[in-house]
Amino acid sequence: MEKITGAEALMKALIAEGVDTIFGYPGGTIMPAFDALYDYTDRINHVLVRHEQGAVHAAQGYARTSGRTGVCLVTSGPGATNTITGIADAMMDSTPLVVIAGQVAIGMLGTDAFQEVDLVGITQPITKWSYQIRRAEDVAWAVSRAFYIARSGRPGPVVLDFAKNAQNELTEFAPEQIDFVRSYLAFPEPDPGKLKEAAEIINGAEKPLMLVGQGVELGGAREELISLVEKADIPMGSTLLGLSSVPSSHRLNMGMLGMHGNIAPNVKTNECDVLIAVGMRFDDRVTGALAKYAPQAKIVHLDIDFSEFNKNVKADLCVLGNCKETLRLIGEQVKPARHTEWVESFRPYAEKEMEEVIKEELNPGGEKLRMGEVVRAVSDAAGPEAVLVTDVGQNQMSAARYFRYEYPRSIVTSGGLGTMGFGLPAAIGASFGAPHRPVCVFMGDGGFQMNIQELGTIMEQKAPVKMILLNNNFLGMVRQWQELFCNKRYSFTPMVNPDYLEIAKAYGIPARRVATHSELAGAVAEMIACQGPFLLEACVEEEAHVMPMTPPGGAVDMIMTSKDDK
């Protein structure tokens, strides 16, 4: 068998895993891999980002929209450490990634060599697996194992630390296919007894409520979930990451859970008699005060990750397994039911929210634009196939609340880590992961500037990303908390901003600024009609609030609909 370098073996191994897109940035210790990539650009598309953090977030956007594993290729030292935030983000949000970083040659390890850093040691707590490739002959095995671990079970990030000597060494290559790792149970078999018990609990419920997490999306379990809730007539609430698991228009979809979620599902969490949580981790932003969270309910928790059981909320029944399978098997045993009075009881809360919050947000009476107004205008214009990408902050909560979802994998946002700067590079990745779908990214003026250099990537790739900058000249979410809970002591949240249209112009990106209601529809139509990237700067009300809101430390049903409720 002909011998090839470890670097070329990497390319062949990636192709064997079906990789077609890599997000990366070259450097000294990963140079052999990039040299090998030069001969494979007809099969692997490399997207040159402007910062390694951008590479990881782009890979996340690609993974979240495509359902495939995102791949990054970076150098050692600062190139590797620049990926840490994205790796931690992917771990929190269960996003399958393989991050390949260069490393100094093995003989130089421990000498404080130029751009040497202990990447394996740094990333072990925030990855599913972190491994150093020291020999060229280990490349095929390591790559196959990395992809299997990243995408199986509860997905997550894997790091391969690729020593430079291993990239240059010669080895025989044959692709490997790993589908089993000792001590790692990727796809646990559900317990038939627990499936039966779960069905019995649901059959006995008078006021059931289904909590839909991202696990439904990751498990491809939309049909199974909808079949079960329609059969048993169970209203649903979704976590932030689970929003597109069910169409917004479904009659049993009662909206978003959590701190800035919809009133009805939050209130009803503390009124239901059975709470069925699927593929979610009972995040504190969903539960509020744990001591006051659903004390009256019998809780059934379905998840593929055993470590999530009883971590935050103690469940009466835990069902381990892939929710695509567990929902189907439970659904087969659930009896048809109608909970008409219970389902109708959500309506008054929805009407209250419409009157006290939504009407003013979508049709504000003042001169200033509101975030929700802009989001809904873009959502309606972009159509049901659009993918929503967000940054973090008020823009994120407003976008999540007022965008409409029809198809799976339609929301890409940083949930667990709440990473400002996520939106712009994630939207780039989403445009590669879902090339036939419109990609709309909403950002605040703070988050946009954190990775604004990725406009260069958009320029080079001509990525057709529709960028909506909700500019309120503040770090909006922190400012909201400062107004409500710190007596308006705006400590370092006002922003002095550049001329974003001039910046877009420098990158050759069409742009437009709007500040009035009458301008909005025309500007949005212009943006959507543009074949390539477009920046729409919406100058929104500076001191507006995202409501409703559960105050920090409050019970999930302690809900503010205005700043006067505090």
Side-chain angles (χ1 to χ4, degrees):
M1 186 180 296
E2 180 186 0
K3 289 189 175 184
I4 59 175
T5 65
E8 186 175 356
L10 171 65
M11 298 304 136
K12 289 181 175 293
L14 293 174
I15 290 170
E17 293 293 334
V19 173
D20 59 11
T21 304
I22 294 176
F23 303 90
Y25 203 95
T29 62
I30 200 64
M31 198 178 300
F34 271 90
D35 185 64
L37 177 59
Y38 192 82
D39 294 325
Y40 286 86
T41 52
D42 59 331
R43 303 184 65 180
I44 299 177
N45 178 35
H46 178 268
V47 178
L48 177 66
V49 297
R50 276 24 181 193
H51 190 282
E52 290 88 354
Q53 182 180 351
V56 188
H57 293 328
Q60 288 177 274
Y62 174 90
R64 296 266 284 273
T65 52
S66 69
R68 305 173 69 184
T69 302
V71 182
C72 300
L73 189 64
V74 300
T75 197
S76 63
T81 56
N82 282 342
T83 67
I84 300 303
T85 297
I87 292 170
D89 192 289
M91 188 67 175
M92 290 283 279
D93 286 352
S94 305
T95 304
L97 295 182
V98 173
V99 177
I100 304 163
Q103 181 57 278
V104 301
I106 294 304
M108 300 178 71
L109 286 175
T111 68
D112 289 333
F114 179 66
Q115 295 191 333
E116 177 191 356
V117 69
D118 182 5
L119 185 61
V120 171
I122 292 171
T123 58
Q124 277 182 336
I126 54 171
T127 56
K128 290 184 72 176
W129 186 50
S130 191
Y131 179 76
Q132 189 172 79
I133 303 176
R134 296 183 164 211
R135 306 181 304 172
E137 61 193 78
D138 295 332
V139 169
W141 170 85
V143 170
S144 179
R145 183 183 171 105
F147 275 83
Y148 173 69
I149 292 173
R151 65 183 170 229
S152 62
R154 179 180 180 175
V158 169
V159 164
L160 293 178
D161 193 38
F162 199 2
K164 193 169 186 179
N165 63 285
Q167 297 176 53
N168 288 321
E169 290 169 0
L170 296 177
T171 183
E172 295 179 347
F173 175 82
E176 295 202 23
Q177 186 172 1
I178 290 176
D179 56 9
F180 172 78
V181 175
R182 189 176 62 183
S183 78
Y184 169 56
L185 185 60
F187 302 104
E189 287 291 327
D191 182 333
K194 292 191 174 183
L195 296 169
K196 180 181 179 182
E197 187 178 352
E200 290 173 349
I201 291 172
I202 294 171
N203 287 334
E206 295 182 359
K207 297 186 290 184
L209 178 61
M210 181 77 73
L211 306 188
V212 181
Q214 189 192 195
V216 173
E217 197 108 279
L218 296 174
R222 172 186 272 215
E223 291 184 8
E224 290 77 9
L225 174 76
I226 292 177
S227 175
L228 192 159
V229 297
E230 289 182 346
K231 183 178 181 180
D233 203 27
I234 303 173
M236 298 173 285
S238 297
T239 66
L240 173 64
L241 296 182
L243 279 172
S244 64
S245 299
V246 181
S248 301
S249 58
H250 194 282
R251 71 174 185 87
L252 293 170
N253 187 351
M254 302 302 172
M256 185 170 74
L257 301 161
M259 179 175 280
H260 291 286
N262 296 105
I263 296 175
N266 281 329
V267 169
K268 292 300 179 178
T269 295
N270 277 9
E271 293 183 13
C272 66
D273 60 355
V274 171
L275 195 66
I276 310 107
V278 186
M280 61 169 290
R281 55 190 177 85
F282 289 109
D283 175 71
D284 60 283
R285 289 299 174 96
V286 166
T287 65
L290 283 172
K292 300 175 182 178
Y293 183 77
Q296 80 294 336
K298 184 170 285 189
I299 297 175
V300 179
H301 190 180
L302 281 62
D303 210 287
I304 200 169
D305 185 355
F306 182 83
S307 71
E308 290 299 339
F309 293 144
N310 301 315
K311 184 176 77 176
N312 296 322
V313 172
K314 184 172 176 18
D316 296 275
L317 177 65
C318 299
V319 182
L320 182 66
N322 186 333
C323 63
K324 186 174 182 66
E325 183 176 15
T326 56
L327 285 170
R328 177 181 63 80
L329 294 171
I330 291 170
E332 290 173 356
Q333 301 177 65
V334 162
K335 297 177 181 177
R338 282 291 170 263
H339 300 290
T340 305
E341 185 176 344
W342 168 240
V343 173
E344 285 298 313
S345 73
F346 285 72
R347 187 183 304 276
Y349 294 101
E351 292 173 350
K352 171 184 171 68
E353 185 173 346
M354 177 62 71
E355 287 299 317
E356 297 184 13
V357 178
I358 297 174
K359 278 187 176 179
E360 175 63 20
E361 189 68 21
L362 296 184
N363 298 286
E367 294 181 2
K368 293 279 190 177
L369 289 169
R370 297 290 288 268
M371 289 189 179
E373 172 189 13
V374 178
V375 172
R376 182 57 60 83
V378 172
S379 179
D380 289 346
E385 291 191 351
V387 174
L388 168 67
V389 184
T390 83
D391 208 83
V392 169
Q394 285 185 319
N395 66 89
Q396 177 185 36
M397 293 296 101
S398 292
R401 284 178 52 82
Y402 294 106
F403 210 81
R404 288 172 170 156
Y405 313 94
E406 185 63 32
Y407 299 105
R409 298 190 177 275
S410 292
I411 182 169
V412 179
T413 190
S414 173
L417 200 63
T419 303
M420 288 181 68
F422 174 89
L424 188 60
I428 295 170
S431 72
F432 283 93
H436 304 299
R437 301 179 66 183
V439 174
C440 303
V441 55
F442 289 84
M443 302 168 286
D445 41 314
F448 181 37
Q449 292 184 80
M450 283 196 172
N451 272 314
I452 196 170
Q453 77 285 339
E454 296 309 324
L455 289 173
T457 306
I458 290 176
M459 173 184 67
E460 180 175 343
Q461 298 294 329
K462 298 180 175 57
V465 175
K466 310 308 180 188
M467 298 166 276
I468 303 93
L469 173 59
L470 301 174
N471 187 359
N472 58 9
N473 296 302
F474 270 103
L475 298 176
M477 188 61 81
V478 182
R479 186 217 58 78
Q480 178 170 328
W481 283 45
Q482 287 173 336
E483 177 177 348
L484 296 176
F485 311 118
C486 299
N487 298 315
K488 285 193 172 184
R489 290 161 59 87
Y490 294 159
S491 181
F492 298 99
T493 49
M495 298 284 287
V496 177
N497 284 313
D499 187 329
Y500 292 109
L501 268 60
E502 288 297 315
I503 292 174
K505 181 180 178 181
Y507 283 101
I509 296 173
R512 183 169 171 181
R513 180 182 293 121
V514 294
T516 64
H517 310 298
S518 60
E519 297 175 283
L520 181 60
V524 170
E526 180 184 347
M527 176 182 70
I528 297 300
C530 180
Q531 294 300 305
F534 193 100
L535 174 65
L536 175 62
E537 180 185 3
C539 301
V540 297
E541 186 175 337
E542 291 190 348
E543 296 187 63
H545 294 77
V546 180
M547 292 292 174
M549 179 182 184
T550 299
V556 69
D557 56 356
M558 182 189 300
I559 298 171
M560 302 164 56
T561 58
S562 76
K563 63 182 180 181
D564 299 325
D565 290 342
K566 60 178 178 168

